[in-house]
Amino acid sequence: MISVGQKVDLSIPVRAAVDGEKWEGLLSQLITRPTVVSVYMRNNTSSCDKQTQQMQVVAPELEKGGIGLIGLSKDTPGSHVKYGCKLELSFPLVSDPEHAFASATDSLVDKKMYGKVFVGPTRSAYLIDADGTVLGIVEKVDSANHGEQLKALVKEI
């Protein structure tokens, strides 16, 4: 996994849901200030719903502090638009079906589900500056307490 102080390549092409609309561009266009990128697995699943709802709880506080917030999963931009509207999310949801962000942060790991092994991203959160410098990391997201994890993360800078 990438470490604090290292840089993430933000020139990754992404598709996203921004303000309830499908959007396409580079990740760097969404990270224009210190921004938390919180990685979750799938829309409309119990733990991921808790994680994104916790993100929404702290989103206004982060915004007041000048910190951006992005949710990232492998779901499609269309799914993200519906999910964002359903949960009334105020932050962008990035689609990363090829795990480009996880590759850039060196956070792809072997996972097991129903006896099958596959490669996927860790459920982590990264505080990243506009130049790509990693300012902080939550290596293991606790879905039910993710809001508190994010508040602690941004206090570190």
Side-chain angles (χ1 to χ4, degrees):
M1 179 178 283
I2 200 166
S3 300
V4 172
Q6 292 183 303
K7 287 197 177 195
V8 176
D9 180 7
L10 299 179
S11 64
I12 300 167
V14 294
R15 297 180 315 142
V18 179
D19 297 324
E21 301 287 329
K22 292 180 186 176
W23 179 90
E24 199 168 326
L26 298 176
L27 187 57
S28 61
Q29 293 173 273
L30 296 174
I31 301 178
T32 58
R33 59 187 171 155
T35 301
V36 173
V37 178
S38 185
V39 179
Y40 65 100
M41 301 308 115
R42 277 195 83 95
N43 295 339
N44 298 304
T45 59
S46 179
S47 290
C48 296
D49 288 354
K50 288 177 190 172
Q51 181 177 342
T52 52
Q53 288 165 340
Q54 283 287 303
M55 291 165 62
Q56 183 56 45
V57 167
V58 299
E61 185 177 333
L62 295 179
E63 184 64 35
K64 277 185 184 176
I67 307 291
L69 183 59
I70 294 172
L72 183 141
S73 78
K74 67 179 186 176
D75 294 289
T76 66
S79 175
H80 279 331
V81 168
K82 291 175 189 172
Y83 189 64
C85 289
K86 173 183 159 185
L87 296 181
E88 299 179 353
L89 302 178
S90 63
F91 51 88
L93 296 174
V94 170
S95 175
D96 188 22
E98 302 299 322
H99 307 303
F101 182 78
S103 293
T105 57
D106 194 27
S107 60
L108 283 171
V109 295
D110 287 338
K111 296 182 169 203
K112 274 188 179 179
M113 183 180 281
Y114 305 117
K116 294 189 178 191
V117 177
F118 62 97
V119 175
T122 61
R123 186 186 296 259
S124 305
Y126 304 85
L127 178 57
I128 302 171
D129 208 351
D131 69 355
T133 303
V134 177
L135 304 173
I137 301 171
V138 174
E139 290 187 20
K140 185 168 175 42
V141 166
D142 174 356
S143 298
N145 296 303
H146 193 43
E148 293 302 317
Q149 287 180 313
L150 295 182
K151 289 195 295 188
L153 179 65
V154 300
K155 281 184 181 176
E156 292 177 11
I157 62 165

